[in-house]
Amino acid sequence: MASFHADELVAQARAGHVLGETPAIRPFMPEQHRTFFAGLPYLFVGTVDPAGAPVATLLTGQPGFVQAPDAIHLDIAAALDPADPAAQALVPGAEVGILGLDLATRRRNRANGRVVRRVRNGLTIAVAQSFGNCPQYIQRRTAEPFRRSVGPIEHLAALDPEAAALIRGADTLFVASRARDGLADGGADISHRGGRPGFVRLEGDVLTVPDFSGNRYFNTLGNLIGERRAALLFLDFERGDLLVLQGRTAIDWAGTAAAGLSGAQRTWTFTVEGGWRRRGAIPLRWSAPEPAPQLARTDTWEPTA
């Protein structure tokens, strides 16, 4: 049985749902999680850059490119793009959050820990926490291999029109966060957020993300209490482009902004401080989305100018 870290407990208390301890968070991967990871063709990864800020990426390979040789290690056989800032940060000792998400089945499992080995075509993670998540708000999509032309990395000091359009039309995003330094049971994490297209409000370089009812663990918001920096990853499912943004967050615990948005209990904002785009980075082609059934009880923001 694992305990939540101190800031996760604070987040649970502010939301009125203190869980304390849960047997669902384990210091090892059960057999079903090990098998699940081994069947994936892609893996979402969050880690920490040299400045201590979260970064995120997506690694891909043939099913089997992720293996769990035992209950506390994951071997990831993926070519790490030397131009990818997140891949650069995946060095031995680095905090890492792993999200295994099968969009075709809406199944997801997480494994957080540290990098213990890196070689030219992969790395090994020592797992400290392993747990599953419910399938809520996940749009069903299937993927198949698709060869793409990979472009050079494009660094962004602010959002350009193309990035803004991707955000405004997104039904899925991923948020990389980390616990504040020195916090027991802390570390890096990456999680999924989903909604109807337009569920993220964009005003200038400020994104507002609704917090819909979930598993009540408050892993992400707990991290953001102590470490406001985060990274957001948006995937262009048509073009295979990745957009990664770094910035600072603020949580509206009072739910003021969420009051007019069906299904939202609170919101948090993300102010963009920089980021990058990797065109054609993902060699997969995705089907049109099948909306998650939970979206029937959610809403989107009114359009902004």
Side-chain angles (χ1 to χ4, degrees), residues 7 51-54 177-181 220-230 247-249:
D7 290 343
S177 62
R178 69 177 297 229
R180 56 187 164 92
D181 285 335
T220 299
L221 296 192
N223 283 347
L224 298 183
I225 285 176
E227 172 56 84
R228 291 182 55 196
R229 292 176 294 178
R248 292 183 183 268
T249 62

Side-chain angles (χ1 to χ4, degrees), residues 125-187:
I125 307 298
V127 174
Q129 292 184 332
S130 173
F131 54 104
N133 280 157
C134 65
Q136 293 191 89
Y137 312 109
I138 298 173
Q139 326 316 333
R140 190 191 303 275
R141 288 177 165 96
T142 57
E144 62 181 11
F146 187 74
R147 185 178 296 275
R148 299 184 186 275
S149 243
V150 180
I153 190 167
E154 302 171 18
H155 290 278
L156 304 173
L159 296 178
D160 60 14
E162 185 178 346
L166 178 61
I167 292 167
R168 287 194 170 103
D171 60 27
T172 299
L173 67 85
F174 301 88
V175 52
S177 62
R178 69 177 297 229
R180 56 187 164 92
D181 285 335
L183 192 63
D185 299 319

Side-chain angles (χ1 to χ4, degrees), residues 12-279:
Q12 292 172 16
R14 290 184 181 178
H17 301 290
V18 177
L19 299 180
E21 293 185 336
T22 173
I25 300 179
R26 308 174 180 88
F28 64 91
M29 293 175 289
E31 186 62 34
Q32 61 177 331
H33 288 201
R34 296 168 64 185
T35 302
F36 171 75
F37 281 119
L40 293 173
Y42 50 89
L43 194 68
F44 297 90
V45 179
T47 188
V48 181
D49 72 12
V55 289
T57 193
L58 177 58
L59 302 179
T60 63
Q62 293 294 321
F65 85 105
V66 182
Q67 290 289 325
D70 55 47
I72 58 171
H73 290 96
L74 281 175
D75 290 333
I76 304 170
L80 302 174
D81 183 352
D84 179 0
Q88 295 171 14
L90 289 169
V91 296
E95 300 174 5
V96 63
I98 300 293
L99 172 62
L101 173 58
D102 184 352
L103 291 170
T105 64
R106 298 190 171 111
R107 185 180 172 195
R108 55 179 162 171
N109 291 308
R110 285 151 77 176
N112 299 341
R114 288 186 181 269
V115 178
V116 293
R117 175 176 171 267
R118 173 166 174 164
V119 294
R120 181 178 179 182
N121 291 315
L123 63 158
T124 298
I125 307 298
V127 174
Q129 292 184 332
S130 173
F131 54 104
N133 280 157
C134 65
Q136 293 191 89
Y137 312 109
I138 298 173
Q139 326 316 333
R140 190 191 303 275
R141 288 177 165 96
T142 57
E144 62 181 11
F146 187 74
R147 185 178 296 275
R148 299 184 186 275
S149 243
V150 180
I153 190 167
E154 302 171 18
H155 290 278
L156 304 173
L159 296 178
D160 60 14
E162 185 178 346
L166 178 61
I167 292 167
R168 287 194 170 103
D171 60 27
T172 299
L173 67 85
F174 301 88
V175 52
S177 62
R178 69 177 297 229
R180 56 187 164 92
D181 285 335
L183 192 63
D185 299 319
D189 183 70
I190 186 166
S191 62
H192 161 278
R193 294 291 186 273
R196 298 172 184 265
F199 83 107
V200 178
R201 182 170 66 188
L202 179 61
E203 297 175 298
D205 277 344
V206 179
L207 290 70
T208 301
V209 182
D211 190 47
F212 299 130
S213 176
N215 60 16
R216 300 185 297 176
Y217 286 5
F218 291 95
N219 305 115
T220 299
L221 296 192
N223 283 347
L224 298 183
I225 285 176
E227 172 56 84
R228 291 182 55 196
R229 292 176 294 178
L232 302 185
L233 183 153
F234 291 88
L235 172 57
D236 187 324
F237 290 99
E238 291 186 18
R239 299 181 180 181
D241 298 349
L242 280 186
L243 173 68
V244 178
L245 305 172
Q246 289 184 291
R248 292 183 183 268
T249 62
I251 305 168
D252 176 15
W253 289 102
T256 304
L261 195 67
S262 298
Q265 298 181 316
R266 61 197 64 82
T267 61
W268 51 278
T269 58
F270 177 93
T271 302
V272 177
E273 296 180 340
W276 53 88
R277 180 188 294 113
R278 298 171 59 215
R279 295 188 188 275

